[in-house]
Amino acid sequence: MALLRIGSRGSALALWQAHHISALLREQGHQVELEIIKTTGDKITDVALAKVGTKGMFTKEIEEALEAGRVDLAVHSLKDLPTPLAGPFEIAAITERVDPRDAFLSIRYNSVRELPQGARVGTSSLRRQAQLKQFRPDLEIFPLRGNVDTRVRKLEEGEYDAVILAAAGLKRLGKTQHIKEIIEPEIMCSAAGQGALGIEIRQGDTAMRQHLAFLNHEPSRLATIAERALLNQLGGGCQVPIGAFAVADGSEVTLMAICARPDGTELLRESGSGPDPAQLGERIGKIILSRGGDKILEDVYNENAAGTPAGA
C-alpha cells in the first residue's frame, strides 16, 4: 500500500487528531509519516483571534507544504479551514463528528445561568463572546488564548470564574474534569464545522481521494456542507461572530445560524431545513444578510481593521 505523509499542527489536540487518522490509515495497510508544521496561529498567542485578521491562520503553512509536495494530506479541525479553500486544494473526507457544542468549564459554578453578576469568563472567540453577552450582559469577558492545557490551567489558577471551550477537543484529550455544562445551540450556536475533522489534499489527486474515501461520514459531511455554505455566504471566518449548527437526518438537513454584534446588543438568529445542504446554507445566509447581518459584519471588520476592541 501507499506511503502517506500527513501534515499537522503541533498542539496536543492537533497531534491527537493526526495520530487518530494515522491509526485508521494503518489499519487499511498504509505506511504513514507525520510532519509537524507551525502555523501563523501557533506563533501569535498573545493577540485575540479577531485581531490577527487573517483567514487560514491555522492552515496556511500546512497548505504550502501540501502544495509543494512535502506532505500528501493535511488533518485539520474543520472549523479552522477557510471557506472557500485558499488554493488548489480539496476536502477529500469529513470524519464522523463528535459533539459540536461548546462546553462551560468552571471550578465553582454549574452553568452559565449560575454565574454571579460580573463573573469573569475567558474566551477569545467573538462568536462565544457575543452570545454570552446577549444571554448574560452582566458578565465580564476576557481574552483566552493558548492550547487546551493552558486554558484549563488558567481556570484552575483562578484567573477566570469560567471558560468556554469546544466540547469535542476536551473529550478527545480527556480533559473533561471541569465541564459543568454542555451549552445547547439555542444559547450558544457552534462554529461551522466544529467537532469534525477535514482531510485536505491537492486538488485532483484522485489516488489520494480514493485512499481516504473510507474516512468520510455522510451525515457529518452533509451537516458541515450546510454550515460552511452559510459561513461562505456571510464571508466570515473564526474572526467574526457567526455561528452555524446543522443536523442531517436522512435526506433532510436542518440548520440553525446566528450573526451577532460582539457586545451582544444585536443578535440575528435564523433556521431552516431542506434536502440540499449547500443551497440551505446559502439561503439562510442571504436571509441573515438581508435582516441586517451585512451591517453587523461590516462594523466588525471595520473595528478589527482599526484595532478597536471588538464591542467597545
Side-chain angles (χ1 to χ4, degrees), residues 12-285:
L13 180 56
L15 289 175
W16 185 99
Q17 294 169 173
H19 288 308
H20 173 65
I21 297 300
S22 297
L24 295 175
L25 290 169
R26 289 191 178 102
E27 287 176 5
Q28 297 289 310
H30 297 293
Q31 290 180 276
V32 182
E33 292 180 356
L34 179 61
E35 180 172 341
I36 297 171
I37 300 166
K38 199 161 192 176
T39 67
T40 300
D42 297 314
K43 296 169 188 172
I44 304 173
T45 59
D46 57 346
V47 180
L49 293 179
K51 300 302 174 195
V52 179
T54 175
K55 284 188 178 182
M57 68 180 76
F58 294 115
T59 60
K60 178 175 175 286
E61 288 80 1
I62 297 174
E63 288 179 331
E64 289 171 351
L66 187 59
E67 188 171 13
R70 292 195 347 248
V71 299
D72 302 303
L73 65 145
V75 177
H76 303 283
S77 292
L78 185 60
K79 70 176 182 177
D80 291 338
L81 273 175
T83 57
L85 298 183
F89 311 109
E90 62 180 86
I91 298 174
I94 293 173
T95 65
E96 183 173 5
R97 104 198 285 186
V98 296
D99 195 335
R101 296 172 296 176
D102 286 316
F104 170 88
L105 285 71
S106 182
I107 306 299
R108 299 174 56 195
Y109 305 104
N110 292 319
S111 68
V112 177
R113 285 184 175 85
E114 201 178 286
L115 285 170
Q117 187 163 352
R120 298 170 58 91
V121 180
T123 177
S124 280
S125 160
L126 287 188
R127 172 187 61 82
R128 291 173 180 144
Q129 171 185 313
Q131 293 179 92
L132 280 171
K133 293 294 281 186
Q134 200 268 342
F135 185 61
R136 287 285 307 270
D138 60 290
L139 296 177
E140 296 291 331
I141 312 298
F142 294 91
L144 177 65
R145 286 292 310 277
N147 59 35
V148 172
D149 282 336
T150 298
R151 299 182 195 203
V152 171
R153 187 181 70 248
K154 288 181 177 181
L155 172 69
E156 292 172 339
E157 291 173 349
E159 197 169 328
Y160 306 98
D161 295 302
V163 300
I164 311 294
L165 296 172
L170 293 163
K171 291 177 179 180
R172 283 172 173 147
L173 292 174
K175 301 285 184 182
T176 59
Q177 68 271 29
H178 299 310
I179 295 179
K180 297 297 176 64
E181 176 185 29
I182 300 295
I183 309 173
E184 291 304 321
E186 290 77 14
I187 294 174
M188 180 74 71
C189 192
S190 314
Q194 187 160 301
L197 304 183
I199 315 301
E200 187 180 25
I201 63 172
R202 288 180 290 276
Q203 198 169 57
D205 189 342
T206 54
M208 195 59 53
R209 195 186 306 135
Q210 289 169 359
H211 290 322
L212 301 172
F214 78 98
L215 292 168
N216 203 59
H217 184 255
E218 190 63 8
S220 300
R221 187 184 74 84
L222 293 172
T224 56
I225 284 174
E227 294 169 2
R228 287 171 62 79
L230 175 283
L231 192 63
N232 190 49
Q233 186 66 44
L234 298 182
C238 60
Q239 304 92 350
V240 291
I242 297 167
F245 178 85
V247 176
D249 184 7
S251 61
E252 190 83 354
V253 180
T254 301
L255 172 66
M256 174 195 304
I258 65 101
C259 176
R261 293 195 179 277
D263 62 4
T265 55
E266 186 178 5
L267 188 147
L268 305 176
R269 189 183 303 275
E270 195 67 43
S271 61
S273 59
D276 186 315
Q279 287 183 5
L280 173 63
E282 290 169 8
R283 173 165 59 86
I284 298 299

